[in-house]
Amino acid sequence: MAGGTGAAAGSTAAPATATATATATLTATTEDETVDPGSAAASSSTPTRTGSWADDLWARFTGTAVLRRRTEWILLGAVTLLAALLRLVGLAHPGFLVFDETFYVKDAWSLVHLGYEAKWPENANDSWASGDPNVYLDEASYVVHPPLGKLVIGLGMLLFGADNPFGWRIGVAILGTLAVPLLWLVARKLFGSPVLATIGAFLLAIDGHAIVTSRISILDGILMFFVLLGFLFVLLDRQDFVRRIDARILDWRRTEGAAAGRDAGGAPDDAAPTPIVAGTRAPAKRPGGPDWGPAIWNRPWLVAAAIAFGLASSVKWSGLYFLAAFCLYTVAVDAWERRRRGVTFWASAAVLKQGPVSFLLTIPAAFVVYLSTWTGWLSTTGGFYRTWADEPGNAWTGALAWVPRSLQSLWHYSSEAYKFHTGLSADHPYQSSPLEWPFLIRPTAFSYQYSSASDNAACHAELCVEAITSISNPIIWWSGTVAVIFCVMMLVLQPRWQLGPILVGVGAGYLPWLAYLERQAVFQFYAIAFLPFMILAIVYVLYSIVPASDAPRRARTFGVNATAVFLVVCTLVSALFLPVWTGILIPDWYWSLTHWLVGWK
């Protein structure tokens, strides 16, 4: 690995050119130019060799700004190409509706034609398999997820046809592929290193959970994409906000601040952070910043994040958890940055001054986006519960009587769907409690079909199987679980700003499910929404514990080699599991090799 702690290769802290210069200096002495170990030169002027073979290689390919930019594009392109190959090749296999495709694909097709999801006859799956998708009925179907994910699936069918599996799945596959370069950009922003960004994107590209939810048309991979997009915008907003509040407070101190806070030329001194106690009462000695600081309205990236999380919520309501969590995160960042700049009442300023502004920038935007995805349902009258408010005795009265009846009906629909979700108790053989998720106890088998040589010429064993199991690469998943625990510990012991957003993402995706432990129909594949954050936690561990590129060569080389071994092991395990992620025909004994735990059968 060419990146390490803080001063990772490719980061601003350790330019590759510096490594190249150091390497050239260290190798200038040939074997013929020996130095007496006891001489003064040997004891005082011989430098300690730093870096590793990977740093030397990195320096060769990034010696100039042009080479560096080209190398970054190559790395980004390589992981994107890998993701595309694993998600698009053989996408039409298997040629029948798999798992919850029986709901979402058919719902998507009727949705893009009628504006709402319709019921289907009992033999609808056979009609789909034979290439005849237009057998939906006019009667509305009761569905419990918002429309956007199904619109994505439906758009793919409109473009590539609903009479073939490729058309059913291409919309999901494209977003699943794009999630990989999206994670690259996120990791690049977090760690400042293209190498670490490539490692993170590579792990997502080869992970089975991400592959399966990109090749089968269910909603969870779409949800993950929009969550990750919102996270990128949150990071961009943080960067932009820090720049803007720096400029505004510096301008205040230059023009309005106390004279004691400026030098003889009128330039402001550096402000010391405000003591923690100053968030609740004024300190005895005034800090160097303003009392409250500015309220910043110009935050386009925050609005973009709200839109992205609104889109996530329009796929599944669990996207709301990410919207709420990251809105609170931006308030916490605001408070912290104000405190760093000497704002007296930094906490109350963040909550009471900037907080309402941020609320107005985010929640209305997210709500409008969410509502817009229901346009088809609202603009027609055939949808389930669509005319509920028009029925006698149902319309709201009093202060809410002004609300359009279509929205009243949508509210009723949503409340009934919420009751369905919270009260769902149907038993399923592959259900998995959220308490089991961190340990990968019970992954979800989407499909498996047995055959023998007598009924399948491609089977060259006594018994063969075509299986699709939504299971993460176990090495990546278990490493991610350990990495999240490590990040929680480091948040207490040695906090860095990257820890906050990573843990917020994991918490928003996982912790709310602990409130529904009594619900039975909960599955491991729901965890795809926070899988990218677990991978970022792995990258953070590498960022933290691998010695920096200016460390002694032996220590640096050991860390780089250990990272390389980890990536090789992950790759080999993914190669082992690939057939059970993509439905490739394999002997039954091979399938058994992938059953590492009892719950994986």
Side-chain angles (χ1 to χ4, degrees):
M1 183 182 71
T5 308
S11 69
T12 55
T17 51
T19 304
T21 303
T23 304
T25 302
L26 294 174
T27 56
T29 302
T30 66
E31 293 181 359
D32 293 333
E33 296 172 337
T34 56
V35 180
D36 182 0
S39 68
S43 60
S44 61
S45 63
T46 302
T48 301
R49 197 176 183 193
T50 62
S52 70
W53 59 269
D55 298 291
D56 299 341
L57 187 63
W58 179 257
R60 176 182 299 178
F61 289 104
T62 59
T64 66
V66 173
L67 286 176
R68 179 186 179 85
R69 192 178 306 112
R70 181 184 303 166
T71 300
E72 291 195 27
W73 278 108
I74 291 173
L75 293 175
L76 176 58
V79 292
T80 303
L81 177 61
L82 175 63
L85 291 174
L86 292 174
R87 285 154 179 78
L88 298 177
V89 174
L91 184 62
H93 178 77
F96 53 85
L97 296 173
V98 174
F99 195 59
D100 281 352
E101 282 187 333
T102 190
F103 305 115
Y104 300 132
V105 170
K106 291 184 295 185
D107 285 344
W109 189 239
S110 61
L111 178 63
V112 297
H113 283 84
L114 301 176
Y116 58 89
E117 297 90 342
K119 287 186 176 180
W120 294 76
E122 291 184 2
N123 62 345
N125 284 10
D126 295 334
S127 298
W128 273 92
S130 63
D132 181 16
N134 297 310
V135 294
Y136 51 83
L137 308 176
D138 291 334
E139 185 180 355
S141 175
Y142 179 53
V143 297
V144 292
H145 291 300
L148 181 59
K150 288 162 283 186
L151 289 173
V152 170
I153 297 171
L155 178 61
M157 289 189 284
L158 289 176
L159 293 175
F160 295 93
D163 57 349
N164 66 91
F166 184 86
W168 309 343
R169 298 169 182 148
I170 185 61
V172 173
I174 289 175
L175 292 189
T177 300
L178 292 178
V180 171
L182 190 56
L183 183 65
W184 192 95
L185 295 174
V186 166
R188 183 73 170 86
K189 182 63 63 177
L190 275 172
F191 305 109
S193 166
V195 175
L196 292 175
T198 303
I199 290 174
F202 173 76
L203 293 177
L204 184 63
I206 67 170
D207 181 80
H209 203 170
I211 292 172
V212 172
T213 54
S214 299
R215 294 177 61 92
I216 301 298
S217 281
I218 59 176
L219 305 182
D220 301 83
I222 305 173
L223 169 67
M224 180 266 286
F225 172 83
F226 286 116
V227 165
L228 196 55
L229 181 64
F231 183 53
L232 175 63
F233 292 150
V234 166
L235 296 179
L236 292 171
D237 171 71
R238 180 187 180 278
Q239 181 184 39
D240 189 55
F241 174 78
V242 169
R243 179 181 61 82
R244 291 180 186 278
I245 200 169
D246 261 341
R248 295 282 292 275
I249 290 180
L250 184 64
D251 184 66
W252 179 90
R253 296 181 64 226
R254 183 182 294 113
T255 58
E256 302 179 40
R262 298 194 294 270
D263 60 23
D269 298 329
D270 292 333
T274 307
I276 296 292
V277 70
T280 55
R281 60 185 176 86
K285 181 179 180 181
R286 289 178 59 83
D291 286 343
W292 291 72
I296 299 178
W297 286 87
N298 188 11
R299 297 181 69 171
W301 292 119
L302 183 61
V303 177
I307 292 173
F309 289 130
L311 292 172
S313 305
S314 303
V315 176
K316 274 191 166 184
W317 282 350
S318 50
L320 290 171
Y321 298 129
F322 291 93
L323 172 65
F326 280 107
C327 282
L328 293 176
Y329 168 76
T330 61
V331 173
V333 169
D334 182 16
W336 183 256
E337 295 300 332
R338 289 174 191 268
R339 176 183 174 271
R340 285 183 58 203
R341 285 153 184 79
V343 174
T344 305
F345 304 109
W346 50 273
S348 54
V351 174
L352 301 177
K353 187 172 185 179
Q354 182 65 49
V357 172
S358 298
F359 179 89
L360 293 175
L361 291 174
T362 54
I363 303 306
F367 177 74
V368 169
V369 167
Y370 175 81
L371 200 61
S372 68
T373 64
W374 287 88
T375 299
W377 188 90
L378 292 168
S379 61
T380 60
T381 58
F384 204 88
Y385 281 136
R386 172 60 183 81
T387 58
W388 174 85
D390 296 322
E391 298 173 5
N394 288 341
W396 297 346
T397 59
L400 296 177
W402 61 271
V403 177
R405 291 193 175 186
S406 59
L407 296 182
Q408 294 182 34
S409 297
L410 180 58
W411 177 266
H412 176 73
Y413 191 175
S414 301
S415 64
E416 291 299 310
Y418 178 76
K419 292 176 184 178
F420 173 87
H421 283 300
T422 55
L424 189 59
S425 59
D427 192 24
H428 194 283
Y430 286 97
Q431 64 192 30
S432 175
S433 168
L435 296 177
E436 299 175 346
W437 293 359
F439 311 104
L440 204 60
I441 299 296
R442 188 60 168 163
T444 310
F446 281 6
S447 171
Y448 52 88
Q449 288 190 319
Y450 286 99
S451 61
S452 62
S454 61
D455 52 25
N456 190 338
C459 178
H460 301 291
E462 182 177 348
L463 188 64
C464 295
V465 63
E466 293 179 77
I468 299 177
T469 302
S470 184
I471 179 174
S472 278
N473 179 313
I475 305 302
I476 295 176
W477 183 265
W478 289 330
S479 298
T481 298
V482 174
V484 169
I485 297 173
F486 175 86
C487 288
V488 172
M489 295 172 56
M490 293 302 291
L491 187 65
V492 177
L493 300 176
Q494 192 179 4
R496 292 178 179 171
W497 77 267
Q498 294 94 338
L499 289 168
I502 292 174
L503 292 177
V504 167
V506 174
Y510 177 67
L511 294 180
W513 288 103
L514 299 180
Y516 302 99
L517 294 179
E518 295 182 358
R519 175 179 158 178
Q520 290 178 295
V522 176
F523 303 94
Q524 174 79 41
F525 68 85
Y526 293 172
I528 186 64
F530 61 89
L531 173 63
F533 298 95
M534 296 182 71
I535 290 176
L536 290 172
I538 295 174
V539 176
Y540 182 85
V541 171
L542 300 177
Y543 171 77
S544 300
I545 68 175
V546 175
S549 57
D550 58 353
R553 192 169 184 87
R554 176 175 296 182
R556 171 68 171 173
T557 300
F558 178 82
V560 168
N561 289 344
T563 301
V565 169
F566 169 74
L567 296 177
V568 169
V569 170
C570 289
T571 303
L572 294 176
V573 171
S574 285
L576 172 68
F577 278 81
L578 185 62
V580 300
W581 294 336
T582 57
I584 296 174
L585 183 70
I586 53 175
D588 182 61
W589 62 262
Y590 187 105
W591 193 31
S592 299
L593 292 178
T594 65
H595 297 157
W596 293 8
L597 299 180
V598 174
W600 295 8
K601 295 181 179 179

